[in-house]
């Protein structure tokens, strides 16, 4: 047996909670600096990956579809997003980030100083390891 104690899942979950709280706080302040709520900022961040149907966006953001409609309505009034008919099914409306929406999403990320400084303090190898681990924990899904 080596002299290193194994970190149990409960301790990892607690550390993730602290980290996510710090990230969310940083994100919320950055979004507010652009006169957006955290939910509006999160919608822009999700849409930075590409257009999404309202239902899919609500699912990704883990919110009710009616709440998502309100968020998108407010973003649309500011010309940060627009609704378009889906090319595959004209009954479905996709939400698309505008050029101004992209600029604001980038501005939010750039203003997240605490998060940026923490990640910048990592070596290239540590960044690669963190990326691999985060993908493995949160993005890898076993085949059903």
């Amino acid at each position: 047996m080596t002299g290193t104690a194994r970190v149990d899942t409960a301790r990892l979950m607690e550390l993730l909670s602290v980290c996510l709280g710090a990230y969310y706080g940083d994100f919320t302040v950055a979004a507010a600096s652009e006169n957006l709520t955290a939910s509006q900022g999160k919608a822009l961040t999700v849409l930075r990956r590409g257009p999404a149907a309202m239902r899919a966006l609500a699912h990704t953001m883990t919110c009710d579809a009616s709440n998502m409609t309100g968020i998108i309505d407010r973003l649309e009034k500011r010309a940060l997003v627009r609704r378009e008919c889906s090319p595959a099914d004209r009954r479905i409306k996709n939400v698309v980030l505008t050029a101004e929406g992209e600029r604001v999403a980038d501005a939010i990320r750039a203003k997240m100083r605490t998060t940026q400084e923490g990640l910048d303090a990592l070596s290239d190898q540590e960044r690669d390891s963190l990326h691999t681990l985060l993908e493995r924990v949160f993005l890898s899904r076993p085949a059903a």
Side-chain angles (χ1 to χ4, degrees):
M1 181 163 175
T2 66
T4 352
R6 185 168 189 268
V7 178
D8 66 8
T9 302
R11 285 180 58 198
L12 285 173
M13 290 178 74
E14 181 59 29
L15 181 57
L16 275 172
S17 175
V18 170
C19 294
L20 291 172
Y23 177 89
Y24 185 74
D26 201 18
F27 182 86
T28 300
V29 169
S33 76
E34 294 293 326
N35 297 313
L36 296 173
T37 65
S39 294
Q40 291 168 336
K42 184 177 177 184
L44 294 181
T45 300
V46 170
L47 291 169
R48 196 77 170 94
R49 299 175 209 150
M54 290 286 285
R55 185 176 308 279
L57 194 54
H59 181 265
T60 299
M61 291 183 53
T62 319
C63 72
D64 186 73
S66 63
N67 187 34
M68 193 75 255
T69 299
I71 291 167
I72 296 305
D73 285 347
R74 289 185 287 285
L75 292 173
E76 196 171 36
K77 278 184 183 173
R78 290 191 48 193
L80 301 177
V81 300
R82 70 178 179 277
R83 290 177 172 101
E84 295 179 349
C85 287
S86 166
D89 185 342
R90 303 209 35 93
R91 296 170 295 175
I92 297 173
K93 293 285 186 187
N94 284 336
V95 182
V96 179
L97 205 56
T98 64
E100 179 63 7
E102 287 181 28
R103 185 201 66 74
V104 171
D106 290 345
I108 291 169
R109 181 170 286 155
K111 292 176 181 178
M112 294 178 66
R113 303 261 188 263
T114 302
T115 302
Q116 290 284 348
E117 289 169 6
L119 294 173
D120 288 346
L122 298 176
S123 69
D124 288 345
Q125 183 179 2
E126 290 168 330
R127 291 164 80 88
D128 290 346
S129 295
L130 179 60
H131 183 270
T132 299
L133 291 170
L134 290 172
E135 274 191 333
R136 185 169 155 196
V137 171
F138 295 106
L139 299 181
S140 297
R141 300 284 185 240

